[in-house]
Amino acid sequence: MPQTFYITTPIYYVNDRPHIGHVYTTTIADVIARYHRLRGDDVFFLTGVDEHAAKVVDAAAQRGLTPQQWADQNAKVFEDTFNKLGITHNDFVRTSQDRHKIKVREYLAALLKSGDVYQGEYEGWYDAGQEEYVTDSKAEEYGFKSPINGKPLVRKREKNYFFKLSAYRQPLQQFFEENKTFVQPDARRNEILNRIAEAVDVPISRTGAGGWGIPFPGDAEQTVYVWIDALFNYLTFVDTPDRRHYWQSGATHLIAKDILWFHAAIWPALLMAMRKCDGYDWVVPPRQIYAHSFWISEGQKMSKSLGNFIDLEKIDQYVATFSLDALRYFLATNGPMGTTDSDFAEAKFIEVYNTDLANTLGNCFSRVCNMTGRYFGGNIPVKGPGASREIGEAFVAVENRTDSLPTQAFVEHRVADWRGSLDGLNISFGCENVRKLVSAVDTYIEQTAPFKLAKDPAKLPEVGTILYNCAEALRIASVLLWPVIPAKCEEIWRRIGCSHYAEALANKGRGDLAEWVKWGQLKPGTPLLTGDALFPRWQPPK
Ligand code: MSP
């Protein structure tokens, strides 16, 4: 059954340029959004930028610009980058836009009225880089330096508005209890649960920052704390009559571990508080917060001074050398989903590219096209009387298994495993499943040796069956891989007479996964077009 599906990325600070971390989260969200569109779901995918940070004021001042001028310039860099990288977001957040600012003030006015927001005073250790207070015990543990960037913490005292987070300890614990997969991975969930037990009220307004920010309702001296302003983006941008159903369907927030506390504790508590206010009974908590880990680079933390920073220029180089889909595939299959950091290393990238993309998928597709050209004049052959083996038997050899399945059942199993993986946001495992399917096709070709059989004209019907099975399995593999490597899969579709998939996805924004993965849809007689290698094998320049 088609669902409504809403997915978001963090909104990124515009003080700096986009880098691989931002590109990663947004690409993974794009893969998930595309997967749901492929299923036929009604998808809304939101990404964008967070503009009201104090560090944006500093970055602008260094360049002799106003914060708004700098934010305008850099928001465009983020948006252009995401467009260039094939990201299919449905809207692009800019928190300096009126449509956001007006709603945030409305929400806070309601919370002031309900009493969950009140005025008070705060003193504590402040991490300016992260724009957040650190608890006294954490400050001490880290030697009064930022746990994130190591810069000294500052002692700060402010008159602020506060959100009564302490009143939501028990409701949050109960919510976590009733929604076991609310925070993923599980290890992250436990960290947050422990911290919720000691949650204290949080300041949600600021003085200073040169007035850069959303004016606090009813108090011209204060602006809304950038983190509260930012979290609300997930709601403000869909709080319109035509989009509200996306919020109500339960948002999936994809983030990294650095910003989990805000998302997993403060945000659901704010939403619980809002729901109690007049006119907001439609506000529900998100469905899931998935916090991935970090990319490091060439074995070390990414840093500009070490020269291992994967910035926009580096990203462009990878795309120019290997293709955008190769970058997407590497991010999707070797990235830090889960609780361990991943290493972005050039040698690893090349190995994955050559092994999975050039030698497995690209090579297998060329082999099938070439043999079809040679033995059947380039048209998809008719399945003749049976071939002696099944693709599922080849899988037994690939996987060292003892059971074997007929071809169609085998492919159905791969599809089911892939769907299960993507539903659980386990993209790398999903891709691994498709890679196995393609490897099994390769082994099947080795085992059945159509290139030998074809020497005997009496065996051509059998060769036809073998090549049909191969082409059909590759067609299904290309449907499954589309969310990850869309351009190359669309190229496969063009060559096998399935361009209508791409047209449906582009025109209707929805696919028909259940139909497209059914075995036996490739039409015999359809021309199988030859062309350039999908992923030319990469050789080091001499
Ligand atoms: N503006 C806040 C988020 C507000 S969301 C309501 C912010 N911005 S940020 O520009 O610092 O982006 C943080 C996010 O960028 C991380 O949560 C993650 O999604 C991504 N990454 C930044 N560096 C990263 C890595 N080295 N590796 C992987 N992703 C990382 O925090």
Side-chain angles (χ1 to χ4, degrees), residues 504-515:
L505 285 158
N507 300 338
K508 291 193 272 172
R510 292 180 193 219
D512 191 351
L513 179 65
E515 191 56 35

Side-chain angles (χ1 to χ4, degrees), residues 527-542:
L528 231 178
L529 308 177
T530 48
D532 293 340
L534 290 174
F535 296 99
R537 199 183 151 74
W538 194 85
Q539 306 275 15
K542 294 234 167 64

